Coordinates of all heavy atoms in Angstrom, one line a residue:
M1 N -36.6 40.9 -86.0 CA -37.9 40.7 -85.3 C -38.6 39.5 -85.8 O -38.7 39.5 -87.0 CB -38.7 42.0 -85.2 CG -38.0 43.3 -84.9 SD -36.7 43.4 -83.9 CE -35.9 44.9 -84.5
A2 N -39.1 38.8 -85.0 CA -39.8 37.6 -85.4 C -40.9 37.7 -86.5 O -41.0 37.0 -87.4 CB -40.3 36.7 -84.3
T3 N -41.7 38.7 -86.2 CA -42.8 38.9 -87.3 C -42.3 39.2 -88.7 O -42.9 38.8 -89.7 CB -43.8 40.0 -86.8 OG1 -43.1 41.1 -86.5 CG2 -44.6 39.5 -85.6
E4 N -41.2 39.9 -88.7 CA -40.6 40.2 -90.0 C -40.0 38.9 -90.6 O -39.8 38.9 -91.8 CB -39.5 41.2 -89.8 CG -40.0 42.6 -89.3 CD -38.9 43.5 -89.0 OE1 -37.8 43.3 -89.1 OE2 -39.3 44.5 -88.4
M5 N -39.7 37.9 -89.8 CA -39.1 36.8 -90.3 C -40.1 35.6 -90.6 O -39.8 34.5 -90.9 CB -38.1 36.1 -89.4 CG -36.9 37.1 -89.1 SD -35.7 36.4 -88.0 CE -36.5 36.5 -86.4
G6 N -41.4 36.0 -90.6 CA -42.5 35.1 -90.9 C -42.7 34.0 -89.8 O -43.0 32.9 -90.2
M7 N -42.4 34.3 -88.6 CA -42.6 33.4 -87.4 C -43.6 33.9 -86.5 O -43.4 34.0 -85.3 CB -41.1 33.3 -86.8 CG -40.1 32.8 -87.8 SD -38.4 32.8 -87.2 CE -38.5 32.8 -85.5
E8 N -44.8 34.1 -87.0 CA -45.8 34.7 -86.2 C -46.2 34.0 -85.0 O -46.7 34.5 -84.0 CB -47.1 34.8 -87.1 CG -46.9 35.9 -88.2 CD -46.3 35.4 -89.4 OE1 -46.2 34.1 -89.6 OE2 -45.8 36.2 -90.2
N9 N -46.0 32.6 -85.0 CA -46.4 31.8 -83.9 C -45.3 31.5 -82.8 O -45.6 30.8 -81.9 CB -47.1 30.4 -84.3 CG -48.3 30.7 -85.2 OD1 -49.1 31.5 -84.8 ND2 -48.5 29.9 -86.2
V10 N -44.2 32.1 -83.1 CA -43.0 32.0 -82.2 C -43.1 32.9 -81.1 O -43.4 34.1 -81.2 CB -41.7 32.1 -83.0 CG1 -40.5 32.1 -82.1 CG2 -41.5 31.0 -84.0
K11 N -42.9 32.5 -79.9 CA -42.8 33.4 -78.7 C -41.5 34.2 -78.7 O -40.5 33.7 -79.3 CB -42.7 32.6 -77.5 CG -43.9 31.6 -77.2 CD -44.8 32.2 -76.2 CE -46.0 31.2 -76.0 NZ -47.2 31.8 -75.7
I12 N -41.8 35.5 -78.4 CA -40.6 36.5 -78.5 C -40.3 36.9 -77.1 O -41.1 37.3 -76.3 CB -41.0 37.7 -79.2 CG1 -41.4 37.4 -80.7 CG2 -39.8 38.8 -79.3 CD1 -40.4 36.7 -81.5
C13 N -39.0 36.8 -76.7 CA -38.6 37.2 -75.3 C -39.0 38.7 -75.1 O -38.7 39.5 -76.0 CB -37.1 37.1 -75.1 SG -36.6 37.8 -73.5
Q14 N -39.7 38.9 -74.1 CA -40.3 40.3 -73.9 C -39.3 41.2 -73.2 O -39.6 42.2 -72.6 CB -41.6 40.3 -73.0 CG -42.6 39.6 -73.8 CD -43.1 40.4 -75.0 OE1 -43.4 41.6 -74.9 NE2 -42.9 39.8 -76.2
S15 N -37.9 40.8 -73.2 CA -36.9 41.6 -72.6 C -35.9 42.0 -73.7 O -35.5 43.2 -73.9 CB -36.2 40.8 -71.5 OG -35.1 41.6 -71.1
C16 N -35.5 40.9 -74.5 CA -34.4 41.2 -75.6 C -35.0 41.0 -76.9 O -34.2 41.3 -77.9 CB -33.2 40.2 -75.4 SG -33.5 38.5 -75.7
G17 N -36.1 40.5 -77.1 CA -36.7 40.3 -78.6 C -36.3 39.1 -79.2 O -36.7 38.9 -80.4
M18 N -35.5 38.1 -78.6 CA -35.1 36.9 -79.2 C -36.2 36.0 -79.5 O -37.1 35.7 -78.5 CB -34.0 36.3 -78.3 CG -33.5 35.0 -78.9 SD -32.3 34.1 -77.8 CE -33.5 32.8 -77.2
P19 N -36.3 35.4 -80.7 CA -37.4 34.4 -80.9 C -37.1 33.2 -80.1 O -35.9 32.8 -80.0 CB -37.3 34.2 -82.3 CG -36.5 35.3 -82.9 CD -35.6 35.8 -81.9
M20 N -38.0 32.6 -79.5 CA -37.8 31.4 -78.6 C -38.6 30.2 -79.2 O -39.8 30.1 -79.3 CB -38.3 31.6 -77.2 CG -37.5 32.8 -76.5 SD -38.1 33.0 -74.7 CE -39.8 33.6 -75.1
Q21 N -37.9 29.3 -80.0 CA -38.4 28.2 -80.6 C -38.2 26.9 -79.9 O -39.0 26.0 -80.0 CB -37.9 28.1 -82.1 CG -38.2 29.3 -82.8 CD -37.5 29.3 -84.2 OE1 -36.4 29.7 -84.2 NE2 -38.2 28.9 -85.1
E22 N -37.1 26.7 -79.2 CA -36.7 25.5 -78.6 C -36.9 25.5 -77.1 O -36.9 26.7 -76.5 CB -35.2 25.2 -78.7 CG -34.8 25.2 -80.2 CD -35.4 24.2 -81.1 OE1 -35.7 23.1 -80.6 OE2 -35.6 24.5 -82.3
E23 N -37.3 24.4 -76.5 CA -37.6 24.4 -75.0 C -36.5 25.1 -74.2 O -36.8 25.8 -73.3 CB -37.8 23.0 -74.5 CG -39.1 22.4 -74.7 CD -40.3 23.1 -74.0 OE1 -40.2 23.2 -72.8 OE2 -41.2 23.4 -74.7
E24 N -35.3 24.8 -74.5 CA -34.1 25.3 -73.7 C -33.9 26.8 -73.9 O -33.1 27.4 -73.1 CB -32.8 24.5 -74.1 CG -32.3 24.6 -75.5 CD -32.9 23.5 -76.4 OE1 -33.8 22.8 -76.0 OE2 -32.4 23.5 -77.6
Q25 N -34.6 27.4 -74.8 CA -34.5 28.8 -75.0 C -35.3 29.7 -74.0 O -35.1 30.8 -73.8 CB -34.8 29.3 -76.5 CG -33.8 28.8 -77.4 CD -34.2 29.0 -78.9 OE1 -35.3 29.0 -79.2 NE2 -33.2 29.3 -79.8
F26 N -36.3 29.0 -73.4 CA -37.2 29.7 -72.5 C -36.5 29.9 -71.1 O -35.8 29.0 -70.6 CB -38.5 28.9 -72.3 CG -39.3 28.9 -73.5 CD1 -39.3 28.0 -74.5 CD2 -40.3 29.8 -73.6 CE1 -40.0 28.1 -75.6 CE2 -41.2 29.9 -74.7 CZ -41.0 29.0 -75.8
G27 N -36.8 31.1 -70.5 CA -36.3 31.3 -69.1 C -37.0 30.3 -68.1 O -38.0 29.6 -68.5
T28 N -36.7 30.4 -66.9 CA -37.4 29.6 -65.8 C -37.8 30.4 -64.7 O -37.3 31.5 -64.4 CB -36.3 28.6 -65.2 OG1 -35.2 29.3 -64.7 CG2 -35.9 27.5 -66.3
N29 N -39.1 30.0 -64.1 CA -39.6 30.6 -63.0 C -38.9 30.2 -61.7 O -38.1 29.2 -61.8 CB -41.1 30.2 -63.0 CG -41.8 30.8 -64.1 OD1 -41.7 31.9 -64.5 ND2 -42.6 30.0 -64.7
A30 N -39.2 30.7 -60.6 CA -38.7 30.4 -59.3 C -38.8 28.9 -59.1 O -38.0 28.2 -58.4 CB -39.2 31.2 -58.2
D31 N -39.9 28.3 -59.4 CA -40.2 27.0 -59.1 C -39.6 25.9 -60.2 O -39.9 24.7 -60.2 CB -41.7 26.6 -59.0 CG -42.5 27.0 -60.3 OD1 -42.0 27.3 -61.3 OD2 -43.7 26.9 -60.2
G32 N -38.9 26.6 -61.1 CA -38.2 25.7 -62.1 C -38.9 25.5 -63.3 O -38.6 24.8 -64.3
T33 N -40.3 25.9 -63.4 CA -41.2 25.7 -64.5 C -40.7 26.7 -65.7 O -40.0 27.8 -65.4 CB -42.6 26.0 -64.3 OG1 -42.7 27.3 -63.8 CG2 -43.1 25.0 -63.3
K34 N -41.2 26.4 -66.9 CA -40.8 27.3 -68.0 C -41.5 28.6 -68.0 O -42.6 28.7 -67.6 CB -41.2 26.5 -69.3 CG -41.0 27.3 -70.6 CD -41.2 26.4 -71.8 CE -42.7 26.2 -72.1 NZ -43.1 25.6 -73.2
N35 N -40.7 29.7 -68.2 CA -41.3 31.0 -68.4 C -41.5 31.3 -69.8 O -40.5 31.3 -70.5 CB -40.4 32.1 -67.7 CG -41.1 33.4 -67.7 OD1 -41.2 34.0 -68.7 ND2 -41.5 33.8 -66.5
E36 N -42.7 31.5 -70.3 CA -42.9 31.8 -71.7 C -42.8 33.2 -72.1 O -42.9 33.4 -73.4 CB -44.3 31.3 -72.1 CG -44.5 29.7 -71.9 CD -45.5 29.1 -72.7 OE1 -46.2 29.7 -73.4 OE2 -45.6 27.8 -72.5
K37 N -42.5 34.2 -71.2 CA -42.4 35.5 -71.6 C -40.9 35.9 -71.9 O -40.7 36.8 -72.7 CB -42.9 36.4 -70.5 CG -44.4 36.6 -70.5 CD -44.8 37.6 -69.4 CE -46.2 37.6 -69.2 NZ -46.6 38.6 -68.1
Y38 N -40.0 35.3 -71.2 CA -38.6 35.6 -71.2 C -37.7 34.5 -71.6 O -37.9 33.4 -71.2 CB -38.2 36.2 -69.9 CG -39.0 37.5 -69.5 CD1 -39.9 37.3 -68.4 CD2 -39.0 38.7 -70.1 CE1 -40.8 38.5 -68.1 CE2 -39.6 39.8 -69.8 CZ -40.6 39.7 -68.8 OH -41.3 40.8 -68.5
C39 N -36.5 34.8 -72.3 CA -35.7 33.8 -72.7 C -34.6 33.4 -71.6 O -34.6 34.1 -70.5 CB -34.8 34.2 -73.9 SG -33.6 35.3 -73.5
C40 N -34.0 32.3 -71.8 CA -33.0 31.8 -70.7 C -31.9 32.8 -70.5 O -31.3 32.7 -69.4 CB -32.5 30.4 -71.2 SG -31.6 30.4 -72.8
Y41 N -31.6 33.6 -71.4 CA -30.4 34.7 -71.2 C -30.9 35.8 -70.4 O -30.1 36.5 -69.8 CB -30.0 35.1 -72.6 CG -29.5 34.0 -73.4 CD1 -30.2 33.7 -74.6 CD2 -28.3 33.2 -73.2 CE1 -29.9 32.5 -75.4 CE2 -28.0 32.2 -74.0 CZ -28.7 31.8 -75.1 OH -28.3 30.7 -75.9
C42 N -32.2 36.1 -70.4 CA -32.7 37.3 -69.7 C -33.3 36.9 -68.3 O -33.4 37.7 -67.4 CB -33.8 38.0 -70.5 SG -33.2 38.8 -72.0
F43 N -33.9 35.7 -68.2 CA -34.6 35.3 -67.0 C -34.3 33.9 -66.5 O -34.5 32.9 -67.3 CB -36.1 35.5 -67.4 CG -37.0 35.6 -66.2 CD1 -37.2 36.8 -65.6 CD2 -37.9 34.6 -65.7 CE1 -38.1 37.0 -64.6 CE2 -38.7 34.6 -64.7 CZ -38.9 35.9 -64.1
K44 N -34.0 33.8 -65.3 CA -33.6 32.6 -64.7 C -34.1 32.4 -63.2 O -33.8 33.4 -62.5 CB -32.1 32.3 -64.8 CG -31.6 30.9 -64.4 CD -30.0 30.9 -64.6 CE -29.8 29.4 -64.1 NZ -28.6 28.8 -64.7
D45 N -34.6 31.3 -62.8 CA -35.0 31.0 -61.5 C -36.0 32.2 -60.9 O -35.8 32.6 -59.8 CB -33.8 30.9 -60.6 CG -33.0 29.7 -61.0 OD1 -33.5 28.8 -61.5 OD2 -31.7 29.8 -60.9
G46 N -36.7 32.7 -61.8 CA -37.7 33.7 -61.4 C -37.3 35.2 -61.3 O -37.9 36.1 -60.9
N47 N -36.0 35.5 -61.7 CA -35.5 36.7 -61.8 C -34.8 37.2 -63.1 O -34.3 36.2 -63.8 CB -34.4 36.9 -60.6 CG -35.1 36.7 -59.3 OD1 -35.8 37.4 -58.9 ND2 -34.7 35.7 -58.5
F48 N -34.7 38.4 -63.4 CA -33.9 38.8 -64.5 C -32.4 38.7 -64.2 O -32.0 38.8 -63.2 CB -34.2 40.3 -64.9 CG -35.5 40.5 -65.4 CD1 -36.6 41.2 -64.7 CD2 -35.8 40.1 -66.7 CE1 -37.9 41.3 -65.3 CE2 -37.0 40.3 -67.3 CZ -38.0 40.9 -66.6
V49 N -31.8 38.1 -65.3 CA -30.4 38.0 -65.2 C -29.7 39.4 -65.4 O -29.9 39.9 -66.5 CB -29.8 36.9 -66.2 CG1 -28.3 36.8 -66.2 CG2 -30.4 35.6 -66.0
G50 N -29.0 39.9 -64.4 CA -28.5 41.2 -64.5 C -29.5 42.3 -64.5 O -30.8 41.9 -64.5
N51 N -29.2 43.4 -64.0 CA -30.1 44.5 -63.8 C -29.8 45.6 -64.8 O -29.6 46.7 -64.4 CB -30.1 44.9 -62.3 CG -31.3 45.8 -62.0 OD1 -32.4 45.9 -62.6 ND2 -31.1 46.6 -60.9
S52 N -30.1 45.3 -66.1 CA -29.7 46.2 -67.0 C -30.9 47.2 -67.4 O -31.9 46.9 -67.3 CB -29.2 45.5 -68.4 OG -30.4 44.7 -68.9
T53 N -30.4 48.4 -67.8 CA -31.5 49.3 -68.4 C -31.8 49.0 -69.8 O -31.1 48.1 -70.4 CB -30.8 50.8 -68.4 OG1 -29.7 50.7 -69.4 CG2 -30.4 51.2 -67.0
M54 N -32.8 49.5 -70.3 CA -33.1 49.3 -71.7 C -32.0 49.6 -72.6 O -31.7 48.9 -73.6 CB -34.5 50.0 -72.1 CG -35.0 49.7 -73.4 SD -36.4 50.5 -74.0 CE -35.7 52.2 -74.5
E55 N -31.4 50.8 -72.4 CA -30.3 51.3 -73.2 C -29.1 50.3 -73.2 O -28.5 50.0 -74.2 CB -29.9 52.6 -72.8 CG -30.9 53.7 -73.0 CD -32.1 53.8 -72.2 OE1 -32.1 53.1 -71.1 OE2 -33.1 54.4 -72.6
E56 N -28.8 49.7 -72.0 CA -27.7 48.7 -71.9 C -28.1 47.5 -72.7 O -27.3 46.9 -73.4 CB -27.5 48.4 -70.4 CG -26.9 49.6 -69.6 CD -26.8 49.3 -68.2 OE1 -27.6 48.6 -67.5 OE2 -26.0 50.0 -67.5
M57 N -29.5 47.1 -72.6 CA -29.8 45.9 -73.3 C -29.8 46.1 -74.8 O -29.4 45.3 -75.6 CB -31.3 45.6 -73.0 CG -31.8 44.3 -73.6 SD -30.9 42.8 -73.0 CE -31.8 42.4 -71.5
V58 N -30.1 47.4 -75.3 CA -30.0 47.8 -76.7 C -28.6 47.5 -77.2 O -28.3 47.0 -78.1 CB -30.5 49.2 -77.0 CG1 -30.0 49.6 -78.2 CG2 -32.0 49.1 -76.8
K59 N -27.6 48.1 -76.5 CA -26.2 48.1 -76.8 C -25.7 46.6 -76.9 O -25.0 46.2 -77.7 CB -25.4 48.8 -75.8 CG -25.5 50.4 -76.0 CD -24.3 51.1 -75.5 CE -24.4 52.6 -75.8 NZ -24.3 52.9 -77.2
F60 N -26.2 45.8 -75.9 CA -25.7 44.4 -75.9 C -26.4 43.6 -77.1 O -25.6 42.8 -77.7 CB -26.3 43.8 -74.6 CG -25.9 42.3 -74.5 CD1 -24.6 41.9 -74.1 CD2 -26.9 41.3 -74.8 CE1 -24.3 40.5 -74.1 CE2 -26.6 39.9 -74.6 CZ -25.3 39.6 -74.4
C61 N -27.6 43.9 -77.4 CA -28.3 43.1 -78.5 C -28.0 43.6 -79.9 O -28.2 42.9 -80.8 CB -29.8 43.2 -78.3 SG -30.4 42.2 -76.9
A62 N -27.3 44.8 -80.0 CA -27.2 45.4 -81.5 C -26.3 44.6 -82.2 O -26.5 44.3 -83.4 CB -26.6 46.8 -81.2
K63 N -25.2 44.0 -81.6 CA -24.3 43.2 -82.4 C -24.9 41.9 -82.9 O -24.6 41.4 -84.1 CB -23.1 42.7 -81.5 CG -23.5 41.9 -80.3 CD -22.2 41.6 -79.4 CE -22.5 40.9 -78.2 NZ -22.4 41.7 -77.0
F64 N -26.0 41.4 -82.2 CA -26.7 40.2 -82.7 C -27.6 40.6 -84.0 O -27.7 39.8 -84.9 CB -27.5 39.5 -81.7 CG -26.7 39.1 -80.5 CD1 -26.8 39.7 -79.3 CD2 -25.8 38.1 -80.7 CE1 -26.0 39.3 -78.2 CE2 -25.0 37.7 -79.6 CZ -25.1 38.3 -78.4
E65 N -28.0 41.8 -84.0 CA -28.8 42.3 -85.2 C -27.9 42.4 -86.4 O -28.3 42.0 -87.5 CB -29.6 43.6 -84.9 CG -30.5 43.5 -83.8 CD -31.7 42.5 -84.1 OE1 -32.2 42.5 -85.2 OE2 -32.0 41.8 -83.3
V66 N -26.7 42.8 -86.3 CA -25.7 42.9 -87.2 C -25.3 41.7 -87.8 O -25.3 41.3 -89.0 CB -24.4 43.8 -86.9 CG1 -23.4 43.9 -88.0 CG2 -24.9 45.3 -86.5
E67 N -24.9 40.7 -86.8 CA -24.5 39.4 -87.2 C -25.5 38.7 -87.9 O -25.3 37.9 -88.8 CB -24.2 38.6 -85.8 CG -22.9 39.0 -85.3 CD -22.7 38.4 -83.8 OE1 -23.4 37.5 -83.5 OE2 -21.7 38.8 -83.2
G68 N -26.8 38.9 -87.6 CA -28.0 38.1 -88.2 C -28.4 38.8 -89.5 O -29.3 38.3 -90.2
G69 N -27.7 39.9 -89.8 CA -28.0 40.5 -91.1 C -29.3 41.4 -91.1 O -29.7 41.9 -92.1
R70 N -29.8 41.7 -90.0 CA -31.0 42.6 -89.9 C -30.6 44.1 -89.8 O -31.5 44.9 -89.9 CB -31.8 42.2 -88.7 CG -32.4 40.8 -88.8 CD -33.2 40.3 -87.6 NE -32.3 40.0 -86.5 CZ -31.5 39.0 -86.2 NH1 -31.6 38.0 -87.2 NH2 -30.7 38.9 -85.1
A71 N -29.4 44.4 -89.6 CA -28.8 45.8 -89.6 C -27.4 45.7 -90.2 O -26.7 44.8 -90.0 CB -28.8 46.3 -88.2
K72 N -27.0 46.8 -90.9 CA -25.7 46.9 -91.5 C -24.6 47.3 -90.5 O -23.5 46.9 -90.6 CB -25.7 47.8 -92.7 CG -26.4 47.2 -93.9 CD -26.3 48.0 -95.1 CE -26.9 47.5 -96.4 NZ -28.3 47.2 -96.4
T73 N -25.0 48.2 -89.6 CA -24.1 48.8 -88.6 C -24.6 48.7 -87.2 O -25.8 48.6 -87.1 CB -23.8 50.2 -88.9 OG1 -25.0 51.0 -88.7 CG2 -23.3 50.5 -90.4
L74 N -23.7 48.8 -86.2 CA -24.3 48.9 -84.9 C -25.1 50.1 -84.6 O -26.2 49.9 -83.9 CB -23.1 49.0 -83.9 CG -22.2 47.6 -83.7 CD1 -20.9 47.9 -82.8 CD2 -23.1 46.6 -83.2
E75 N -24.8 51.1 -85.2 CA -25.6 52.3 -85.0 C -27.1 52.1 -85.6 O -28.0 52.5 -85.0 CB -25.0 53.6 -85.7 CG -23.7 54.1 -85.2 CD -22.5 53.2 -85.6 OE1 -22.6 52.4 -86.5 OE2 -21.5 53.2 -84.8
E76 N -27.1 51.6 -86.8 CA -28.4 51.2 -87.4 C -29.2 50.3 -86.4 O -30.4 50.4 -86.3 CB -28.2 50.6 -88.7 CG -29.6 50.3 -89.4 CD -29.3 49.5 -90.8 OE1 -28.2 49.5 -91.3 OE2 -30.3 49.0 -91.3
A77 N -28.5 49.2 -85.9 CA -29.2 48.2 -85.1 C -29.7 48.9 -83.8 O -30.8 48.6 -83.3 CB -28.1 47.1 -84.7
E78 N -28.8 49.8 -83.2 CA -29.2 50.4 -82.0 C -30.5 51.3 -82.1 O -31.4 51.3 -81.4 CB -28.1 51.3 -81.4 CG -27.0 50.4 -80.8 CD -25.8 51.1 -80.2 OE1 -25.9 52.5 -80.2 OE2 -24.8 50.6 -80.0
K79 N -30.5 52.0 -83.3 CA -31.6 52.9 -83.6 C -33.0 52.0 -83.8 O -34.0 52.3 -83.2 CB -31.3 53.7 -84.9 CG -32.5 54.6 -85.2 CD -32.1 55.4 -86.5 CE -33.0 56.6 -86.9 NZ -34.2 56.1 -87.5
M80 N -32.8 50.9 -84.5 CA -33.9 49.9 -84.7 C -34.4 49.5 -83.3 O -35.6 49.5 -83.0 CB -33.4 48.9 -85.6 CG -34.5 47.9 -85.9 SD -33.9 46.6 -87.1 CE -32.6 45.8 -86.2
L81 N -33.5 49.1 -82.5 CA -33.8 48.4 -81.2 C -34.5 49.5 -80.2 O -35.3 49.1 -79.5 CB -32.6 47.7 -80.5 CG -32.2 46.4 -81.4 CD1 -30.9 45.9 -80.7 CD2 -33.2 45.5 -81.4
L82 N -33.9 50.8 -80.3 CA -34.5 51.7 -79.5 C -36.0 52.0 -79.8 O -36.8 52.5 -78.9 CB -33.7 53.0 -79.5 CG -32.4 53.0 -78.7 CD1 -31.6 54.3 -79.2 CD2 -32.7 53.0 -77.3
E83 N -36.3 51.8 -81.1 CA -37.7 51.9 -81.4 C -38.6 50.6 -81.0 O -39.8 50.8 -80.7 CB -37.9 52.2 -82.9 CG -37.3 53.5 -83.4 CD -37.3 53.7 -84.9 OE1 -37.9 52.8 -85.6 OE2 -36.6 54.7 -85.3
Y84 N -37.9 49.4 -81.2 CA -38.6 48.2 -80.9 C -38.7 47.8 -79.4 O -39.8 47.4 -79.0 CB -37.8 47.0 -81.6 CG -38.4 45.7 -81.4 CD1 -39.7 45.4 -81.8 CD2 -37.6 44.7 -80.9 CE1 -40.2 44.2 -81.7 CE2 -38.1 43.4 -80.7 CZ -39.5 43.1 -81.1 OH -40.0 41.9 -80.9
F85 N -37.7 48.0 -78.7 CA -37.7 47.6 -77.3 C -38.9 48.2 -76.4 O -39.5 47.4 -75.6 CB -36.4 47.8 -76.6 CG -35.4 46.6 -76.8 CD1 -35.5 45.8 -77.9 CD2 -34.3 46.6 -76.0 CE1 -34.6 44.8 -78.1 CE2 -33.4 45.6 -76.2 CZ -33.6 44.7 -77.3
P86 N -39.2 49.4 -76.7 CA -40.4 49.9 -75.9 C -41.7 49.2 -76.1 O -42.7 49.4 -75.3 CB -40.5 51.5 -76.2 CG -39.0 51.7 -76.7 CD -38.6 50.5 -77.3
T87 N -41.8 48.4 -77.1 CA -43.0 47.6 -77.4 C -43.0 46.3 -76.5 O -44.0 45.6 -76.5 CB -43.1 47.3 -78.8 OG1 -42.2 46.4 -79.3 CG2 -43.2 48.5 -79.7
L88 N -41.8 45.9 -76.0 CA -41.7 44.7 -75.3 C -42.2 44.9 -73.8 O -41.9 46.0 -73.3 CB -40.3 44.2 -75.3 CG -39.8 43.8 -76.6 CD1 -38.3 43.4 -76.6 CD2 -40.5 42.7 -77.4
E89 N -42.8 43.9 -73.2 CA -43.3 44.1 -71.9 C -42.4 44.6 -70.9 O -42.8 45.4 -70.0 CB -43.8 42.7 -71.5 CG -44.8 42.7 -70.3 CD -45.5 41.4 -70.0 OE1 -46.1 40.8 -70.9 OE2 -45.5 41.0 -68.9
R90 N -41.2 44.1 -70.8 CA -40.2 44.6 -69.7 C -39.9 46.1 -69.9 O -39.7 46.7 -68.9 CB -38.9 43.7 -69.9 CG -38.0 44.2 -68.8 CD -36.7 43.4 -68.8 NE -35.8 43.7 -67.7 CZ -34.6 43.3 -67.6 NH1 -34.1 42.4 -68.5 NH2 -33.7 43.7 -66.6
W91 N -40.0 46.6 -71.0 CA -39.6 48.0 -71.2 C -40.6 49.0 -71.5 O -40.4 50.2 -71.6 CB -38.5 48.1 -72.4 CG -37.4 47.0 -72.2 CD1 -37.1 46.0 -73.2 CD2 -36.5 46.9 -71.2 NE1 -36.2 45.3 -72.7 CE2 -35.7 45.9 -71.5 CE3 -36.1 47.7 -70.1 CZ2 -34.5 45.5 -70.8 CZ3 -35.1 47.3 -69.4 CH2 -34.3 46.3 -69.7
K92 N -41.9 48.6 -71.5 CA -43.1 49.4 -71.9 C -43.1 50.7 -71.1 O -43.5 51.7 -71.6 CB -44.4 48.6 -71.8 CG -44.7 47.9 -73.0 CD -46.1 47.4 -73.0 CE -46.3 46.8 -74.4 NZ -47.3 46.0 -74.6
N93 N -42.9 50.6 -69.8 CA -43.0 51.7 -69.0 C -41.7 52.4 -68.6 O -41.6 53.2 -67.7 CB -43.8 51.4 -67.8 CG -45.1 51.0 -68.0 OD1 -45.8 51.6 -68.9 ND2 -45.6 49.9 -67.5
S94 N -40.6 52.1 -69.3 CA -39.4 52.6 -68.9 C -38.9 53.7 -69.9 O -39.3 53.6 -71.1 CB -38.3 51.5 -68.7 OG -38.0 50.9 -70.1
K95 N -38.1 54.6 -69.4 CA -37.6 55.6 -70.4 C -36.1 55.7 -70.1 O -35.5 55.5 -69.1 CB -38.2 57.0 -70.0 CG -39.5 57.2 -70.8 CD -39.1 57.5 -72.2 CE -40.3 57.6 -73.0 NZ -40.0 57.6 -74.4

């Protein structure tokens, strides 16, 4: 998570938690402008890419937590993300 990495001013995708530092990492709105809430992998042309549940997104993102060294196992990563994702805007009201 970005705040743990000392990147307090970096925008965080409110769907997958990815830090967005480069212009090309930001999603796009329907009018083609940059969307500052969601990354290019989660949000394109004003819509979410895929219609995944929070649990599906957790399973998808867990491998990146392991690869990045933030978790030792997929199970540990999934547990961590299941606690973190409900704090993100896209998942706040989902169960």
Side-chain angles (χ1 to χ4, degrees):
M1 313 324 152
T3 54
E4 295 169 9
M5 296 184 288
M7 299 168 25
E8 293 80 15
N9 296 323
V10 172
K11 298 253 186 222
I12 302 299
C13 176
Q14 293 299 300
S15 176
C16 72
M18 181 182 100
M20 299 180 296
Q21 298 173 276
E22 309 293 328
E23 279 296 310
E24 62 270 9
Q25 293 174 323
F26 289 87
T28 54
N29 296 312
D31 63 2
T33 59
K34 176 176 73 169
N35 183 292
E36 296 201 5
K37 282 188 190 175
Y38 302 108
C39 76
C40 60
Y41 303 109
C42 291
F43 202 76
K44 184 175 179 159
D45 300 327
N47 294 298
F48 286 108
V49 176
N51 193 19
S52 61
T53 64
M54 185 181 81
E55 290 75 17
E56 290 168 335
M57 185 67 79
V58 162
K59 288 202 174 294
F60 178 78
C61 293
K63 63 182 171 255
F64 300 111
E65 296 301 308
V66 174
E67 287 171 9
R70 293 175 294 279
K72 289 184 170 68
T73 65
L74 286 175
E75 294 77 18
E76 180 184 346
E78 287 177 12
K79 183 178 187 288
M80 181 176 68
L81 293 173
L82 281 169
E83 292 176 11
Y84 177 59
F85 275 21
T87 69
L88 299 175
E89 192 170 310
R90 182 177 183 188
W91 311 116
K92 272 192 175 160
N93 297 317
S94 66
K95 271 284 176 194

